[in-house]
Amino acid sequence: MATIYLETFIKADIHIVFDLARDIDLHQKSTFKTQEKAIAGRTSGLIEENETVTWRAKHLGVYQTHTAKIISMEKPYQFTDVMLKGTFKSMKHQHTFKVKNGGTVMTDHFEFESPFGILGKIFNRIFLTGYLKSFLLERNALIKETAEGNH
């Protein structure tokens, strides 16, 4: 299983950052390069615990769908989503939020496993981990800009 761990410091209230991180509309804005669109389940607004969202996006030149479910949520400190259907063999994304130095530290702990055994592991190491890290960093940059009032 591959893991991506990111910390982003945001000069904003934890409640604002928490809500922006689960905002379907903001997520779609941050993923315009992949034409990501919520097509089923929660398709707008703030996703809640036990809700699902199905995304359609163009990754690596191919349109793909991905259905995720929020399996736990403790406002405004954490929420976790897992893939129910999609390209990965498995995927889990834990989002945590902590008050620190007059702002919020937003942490992503993203675990995924590609199909195809050893070939999938090689693909993860050579390409996919970097691709997904860039994807998350772009999303986090928009959350930060929006929360800090620079957008």
Side-chain angles (χ1 to χ4, degrees):
M1 181 158 307
T3 302
I4 298 169
Y5 182 86
L6 299 172
E7 283 190 0
T8 307
F9 179 75
I10 302 171
K11 294 178 197 167
D13 180 80
I14 191 171
H15 295 89
I16 291 168
V17 177
F18 181 81
D19 284 349
L20 290 172
R22 61 194 184 98
D23 187 317
I24 300 288
D25 304 299
L26 188 69
H27 181 86
Q28 290 177 117
K29 208 179 209 183
S30 74
T31 58
F32 71 94
K33 289 180 183 175
T34 58
Q35 303 167 30
E36 194 152 334
K37 179 144 181 63
I39 59 168
R42 169 67 78 152
T43 59
S44 186
L46 303 179
I47 195 159
E48 298 288 349
E49 187 171 9
N50 293 317
E51 289 187 326
T52 63
V53 57
T54 299
W55 300 101
R56 183 172 191 269
K58 192 173 191 177
H59 292 284
L60 309 175
V62 178
Y63 278 100
Q64 302 173 28
T65 59
H66 172 98
T67 301
K69 180 178 182 176
I70 304 297
I71 60 165
S72 72
M73 183 178 288
E74 183 185 344
K75 295 177 184 180
Y77 304 106
Q78 70 84 20
F79 68 95
T80 301
D81 58 278
V82 297
M83 182 193 75
L84 298 179
K85 287 190 246 178
T87 307
F88 296 108
K89 184 175 179 181
S90 67
M91 193 248 12
K92 181 178 182 181
H93 188 175
Q94 295 175 295
H95 312 255
T96 59
F97 308 84
K98 291 182 183 166
V99 174
K100 188 173 183 181
N101 298 330
T104 302
V105 176
M106 179 177 72
T107 303
D108 293 278
H109 186 194
F110 187 86
E111 298 175 323
F112 65 98
E113 188 172 359
S114 296
F116 311 119
I118 190 72
L119 292 176
K121 287 180 183 175
I122 292 168
F123 182 65
N124 289 351
R125 193 167 294 131
I126 292 172
F127 177 77
L128 193 56
T129 300
Y131 177 82
L132 291 170
K133 184 176 181 180
S134 293
F135 184 82
L136 291 171
L137 286 169
E138 284 185 33
R139 178 183 169 277
N140 291 356
L142 183 59
I143 291 170
K144 180 177 175 72
E145 289 174 16
T146 303
E148 292 178 350
N150 299 325
H151 195 274

